[in-house]
Amino acid sequence: MWSFGNGFGGFTHAVKKNLERPCDSDFPSKPRKFIPFWADGLNKSSLTPSFKRISKQGLIYKKGEDKKTYSVANSASEIAVSDNSFVPRPTRSTYVPPHLRNRQASDAPNLPGPATERPGFSRTPGGSQGSRWSGGAPKPELGRLGPGYAYGGAAVGRGGGSSGWHNRSRSWDRREREVNPFDDDIDDKNNDGEQAFSEQENTGINFDAYEDIPVETSGENVPPPVNTFAEIDLGELLNQNIRRCKYVKPTPIQRHAIPIALAGRDLMACAQTGSGKTAAFCFPIISGIMREQYVQRPRVARTVYPLALILSPTRELSCQIHDEARKFSYQTGVKVVVAYGGAPINQQLRELDRGVDILVATPGRLVDLLERARLSLQMIRYLALDEADRMLDMGFEPQIRKIVEQMDMPNRGVRQTMLFSATFPREIQRLASDFLSNYIFLAVGRVGSSTDLIVQRVEFVHESDKRSHLMDLLHAQKENGAHGKQALTLVFVETKKGADSLEHWLCLNGFPATTIHGDRTQQERELALRSFKTGKTPILVATDVAARGLDIPHVAHVVNFDLPNDIDDYVHRIGRTGRAGKSGLATAFFNEGNMSLARPLSELMQEANQEVPAWLTRFASRAPYGGNKNRRSGAGRFGGRDFRRESSFGKNLDYYGGGNSGSAYGVPSNYGGGYAPGVTSAWD
DNA sequence: AAAAAAG
């Protein structure tokens, strides 16, 4: 299901240089801060940098029921998987996590949006010159789609000519992007093998349990959450897609984030992948774009002007987001394009040329496109960073800064910026605030993966024993497994070389394994993922490229063959299991090389009510700095809590009657001062 | 120190 439709059509052609590249004057060397007309008067107060006094408000905090909540969320994905194999759907409302939302029957109606009369969405019917489409062509589909949210021309090919996406489907004889994205099976995606998992249990969803997920917000004038999609003014076409996704009720992150985003506010949000995070930023973006009456986009030869930019740290994640966004935007006329490296650029260029409203991209390819002047960020109104803490981590931060601050993207406060991640270290929050304006901080309790559903084990394994130990685990697992089949096991290692070597060794020893890491070609990466997902090679050896965001259903076991140095990475890694309503297992091989992780790991496990081996507790107590992970390696590691509360002005203020001074994982921390011990955090 | 992300 990893669709690299943009990529592997032809490897043969070399990248053709764009000879008609606009002159440099189109791309000033100095950052040009363009304030488009539409931004005038928008979000005025937020034009001043943040760090205003943060009022304490908006706290919705409930304890208990979290475990139930998690299992509920996960059960939903179980259902969705079952759907794929025509297992009867439960009558209860089903939350289907993003990665499974393309499994629906292929009968999504082809209906135009009945134009509800809402002023915000109304637009002058009739094709008009100077439309929002880069081609500036009329929108012939308007009549057909109705005057409501229907923005006909999904993309107008360069060189004018009117063509809505219906037309395009006909005029382009290849499969179009706008084929029904809800039909994976007839699309260009390969679903075979997923049926193998059809016989999963089928649980009803208790959405009421969602109410108990702890949520923390801070910032000025936080818009109140909503309880239903109906309360939100998203537009009928988008609502239809939400229904097609069987997405009946908003998840907690959506309940809170969507109103915030619709209010035009900047947002820093902590929420686990799989909790509906992608939808949480896609819905407001799509809705906002539909809402726009006319956006005159400049016409510069071969340069396209997306209105929204979504960045993610890995190519696979970008694809995943693109796939989801396409579903949400189906028939809305909002065009989503993905651009990432490792695949031939030409097809991506072609897609861009056909028009783009929302661009999903990895940083490198994006910069490439910008430098080719095939793309301009002048018209960006929405910027979303997925896995934002990773994006602003050391390796990525300069690139992101370049894209956001040194190209032609509108300033913060002019554009709307939304940052999402499951973890938000304090130091990264500080960095991130450069990109945000008077933002709202939002933390939603983990939904669906990190700890409660996952049994975490730590074993002391010397470096030299790791392989045989892994072998033991795999053998045991195979014997216990159903039908003698090897359960999907994701093995994380430290290095790319180590990944190849371990894969080779596993294969030699009769365990079908494959590997994914950054030294493999994109094609190999995609193949490896698919092979893993379908169970063909039920063991996947991976570097951290697979640690974040990827929704791989049915991973039964995550083995930290090499532990990461960063507890955040550990959290992201083990979050690959415990999905789909199953209890996941996470095993870590710990040895003398991992001492820096002793304390944070032991704290994390305690917090998650895991059994902590006595030896680990001993190591933890000996760890430097008292072992608080928020101080380790010089980098403060707070997350799950607005750092603004702790730094300049938040100090010693006890907003919540204590608690939550720790990390994103709800680890009660003895650092941070003054908070009552034992109080559960928002991430409990 | 490693991984990711452009080719």
Side-chain angles (χ1 to χ4, degrees):
Chain A
M1 110 144 239
W2 297 96
S3 160
F4 293 103
N6 275 350
F8 302 107
F11 278 108
T12 49
H13 52 271
V15 173
K16 193 177 144 202
K17 288 286 177 198
N18 176 9
L19 300 176
E20 298 167 38
R21 180 181 178 150
C23 65
D24 288 345
S25 62
D26 289 329
F27 237 80
S29 51
K30 294 282 175 290
R32 178 178 56 189
K33 288 307 177 185
F34 175 86
I35 303 186
F37 71 91
W38 46 262
D40 196 28
L42 169 77
N43 215 3
K44 276 262 167 57
S45 65
S46 57
L47 289 167
T48 42
S50 46
F51 298 107
K52 294 180 180 170
R53 182 80 170 84
I54 304 304
S55 59
K56 51 174 172 184
Q57 60 178 313
L59 176 67
I60 299 172
Y61 189 82
K62 291 184 186 173
K63 289 186 59 174
E65 300 297 318
D66 299 313
K67 291 179 188 179
K68 209 179 294 174
T69 304
Y70 299 152
S71 54
V72 161
N74 284 319
S75 310
S77 37
E78 194 65 55
I79 289 163
V81 169
S82 302
D83 275 352
N84 192 30
S85 313
F86 309 104
V87 172
R89 183 183 299 282
T91 51
R92 302 209 53 156
S93 45
T94 52
Y95 160 60
V96 180
H99 65 292
L100 295 172
R101 274 176 225 150
N102 52 357
R103 304 281 188 271
Q104 308 308 332
S106 57
D107 56 353
N110 232 3
L111 20 94
T116 5
E117 297 305 333
R118 259 177 302 111
F121 277 78
S122 68
R123 64 186 304 283
T124 312
S128 54
Q129 202 61 29
S131 71
R132 51 196 281 280
W133 304 106
S134 52
K139 291 184 276 297
E141 296 302 321
L142 277 174
R144 206 160 144 191
L145 293 178
Y149 318 116
Y151 284 84
V156 175
R158 313 292 319 182
S162 63
S163 56
W165 56 266
H166 291 294
N167 277 342
R168 276 190 313 139
S169 297
R170 287 193 293 269
S171 55
W172 292 78
D173 111 85
R174 319 178 43 229
R175 269 182 309 222
E176 254 307 326
R177 286 282 95 179
E178 194 74 1
V179 293
N180 186 340
F182 299 96
D183 303 338
D184 259 356
D185 292 13
I186 62 168
D187 200 347
D188 54 352
K189 298 177 185 168
N190 185 350
N191 258 2
D192 43 318
E194 303 218 319
Q195 275 81 359
F197 299 100
S198 57
E199 68 286 351
Q200 306 300 337
E201 68 272 20
N202 202 353
T203 335
I205 310 301
N206 178 9
F207 260 90
D208 295 338
Y210 274 143
E211 309 308 317
D212 291 320
I213 288 196
V215 174
E216 176 191 332
T217 59
S218 58
E220 297 178 339
N221 301 317
V222 180
V226 293
N227 288 307
T228 63
F229 285 121
E231 294 171 52
I232 325 175
D233 209 16
L234 288 171
E236 183 52 31
L237 284 178
L238 183 47
N239 282 338
Q240 281 175 23
N241 291 331
I242 293 170
R243 287 195 289 273
R244 285 168 182 147
C245 291
K246 311 292 189 224
Y247 208 94
V248 175
K249 204 176 170 184
T251 64
I253 181 67
Q254 293 161 3
R255 291 180 51 220
H256 290 80
I258 293 176
I260 292 170
L262 285 178
R265 299 292 299 276
D266 281 6
L267 175 64
M268 180 187 290
C270 287
Q272 199 79 23
T273 304
S275 60
K277 180 167 58 97
T278 309
F281 59 77
C282 282
F283 288 177
I285 291 174
I286 293 167
S287 173
I289 290 175
M290 288 196 299
R291 220 177 262 264
E292 288 299 327
Q293 300 241 349
Y294 298 102
V295 178
Q296 177 80 57
R297 290 189 237 192
R299 286 203 240 174
V300 178
R302 310 198 69 170
T303 302
V304 294
Y305 297 81
L307 304 175
L309 176 63
I310 300 171
L311 290 172
S312 92
T314 65
R315 299 162 181 174
E316 286 78 6
L317 196 47
S318 280
C319 287
Q320 189 173 291
I321 295 166
H322 173 242
D323 288 344
E324 291 171 39
R326 264 176 59 214
K327 287 171 206 141
F328 302 149
S329 64
Y330 180 56
Q331 291 194 341
T332 60
V334 175
K335 181 85 190 295
V336 189
V337 174
V338 66
Y340 54 88
I345 200 170
N346 278 354
Q347 187 162 353
Q348 290 174 7
L349 287 173
R350 269 199 302 280
E351 285 293 330
L352 287 173
D353 280 346
R354 290 184 202 169
V356 52
D357 296 300
I358 302 174
L359 179 63
V360 185
T362 49
R365 180 54 61 88
L366 180 74
V367 169
D368 190 3
L369 292 168
L370 289 167
E371 285 172 349
R372 290 166 189 247
R374 294 298 297 266
L375 174 70
S376 164
L377 302 179
Q378 269 182 40
M379 303 299 288
I380 291 293
R381 276 172 289 171
Y382 307 93
L383 169 66
L385 301 194
D386 202 6
E387 305 296 345
D389 60 332
R390 170 60 84 231
M391 303 298 282
L392 297 173
D393 213 341
M394 287 196 328
F396 269 122
E397 193 251 358
Q399 271 185 96
I400 301 302
R401 204 170 275 282
K402 176 176 181 180
I403 291 166
V404 177
E405 292 181 337
Q406 287 155 39
M407 307 306 276
D408 55 347
M409 189 185 297
N411 279 323
R412 66 176 176 182
V414 178
R415 63 167 196 266
Q416 185 179 353
T417 309
M418 295 176 276
L419 311 185
F420 283 75
S421 182
T423 52
F424 249 118
R426 176 188 178 196
E427 184 62 19
I428 301 292
Q429 287 191 36
R430 200 184 55 74
L431 269 176
S433 60
D434 284 353
F435 302 130
L436 294 162
S437 172
N438 189 27
Y439 64 95
I440 290 168
F441 179 90
L442 167 66
V444 177
R446 277 181 301 239
V447 179
S449 51
S450 267
T451 51
D452 295 60
L453 275 175
I454 302 171
V455 175
Q456 297 178 54
R457 290 196 315 215
V458 192
E459 292 165 2
F460 196 94
V461 185
H462 285 292
E463 207 60 36
S464 54
D465 298 336
K466 279 183 174 178
R467 286 187 173 183
S468 58
H469 199 83
L470 176 64
M471 184 76 93
D472 291 346
L473 289 180
L474 292 175
H475 272 303
Q477 196 172 287
K478 194 165 183 174
E479 279 157 24
N480 296 334
H483 319 303
K485 279 180 71 172
Q486 183 74 53
L488 295 197
T489 303
L490 183 50
V491 182
F492 281 104
V493 296
E494 186 76 12
T495 64
K496 296 178 276 198
K497 204 176 133 202
D500 281 335
S501 143
L502 183 58
E503 178 218 14
H504 182 64
W505 184 83
L506 285 169
C507 289
L508 277 184
N509 286 277
F511 285 101
T514 184
T515 181
I516 183 168
H517 59 70
D519 272 356
R520 306 200 82 197
T521 67
Q522 192 56 32
Q523 205 172 28
E524 289 169 329
R525 284 163 62 160
E526 183 247 354
L527 189 66
L529 259 181
R530 172 149 50 221
S531 177
F532 180 59
K533 286 175 76 172
T534 60
K536 191 175 159 197
T537 49
I539 301 165
L540 179 64
V541 184
T543 60
D544 269 333
V545 70
R548 283 170 175 261
L550 293 190
D551 278 306
I552 311 171
H554 313 296
V555 175
H557 194 178
V558 169
V559 178
N560 274 290
F561 188 89
D562 301 318
L563 272 166
N565 296 316
D566 190 321
I567 191 68
D568 286 354
D569 291 332
Y570 174 83
V571 168
H572 283 274
R573 285 178 176 188
I574 68 171
R576 300 311 104 206
T577 186
R579 307 179 95 87
K582 292 179 177 176
S583 55
L585 175 62
T587 305
F589 295 173
F590 187 103
N591 62 32
E592 56 280 353
N594 307 115
M595 285 309 167
S596 66
L597 208 61
R599 178 169 281 250
L601 181 59
S602 123
E603 284 177 348
L604 175 66
M605 290 177 67
Q606 276 173 41
E607 175 68 16
N609 297 315
Q610 303 289 321
E611 212 172 299
V612 186
W615 56 262
L616 183 60
T617 311
R618 275 201 307 279
F619 286 140
S621 62
R622 280 186 233 150
Y625 299 121
N628 190 300
K629 70 175 183 301
N630 297 313
R631 290 180 155 186
R632 80 187 180 291
S633 321
R637 283 281 167 177
F638 279 91
R641 177 163 210 277
D642 191 344
F643 90 111
R644 294 175 296 187
R645 293 173 178 236
E646 322 174 328
S647 44
S648 40
F649 39 78
K651 208 162 270 175
N652 297 327
L653 291 180
D654 188 348
Y655 290 106
Y656 303 143
N660 202 32
S661 63
S663 74
Y665 334 107
V667 179
S669 163
N670 49 13
Y671 175 78
Y675 297 101
V679 180
T680 327
S681 86
W683 287 86
D684 184 20

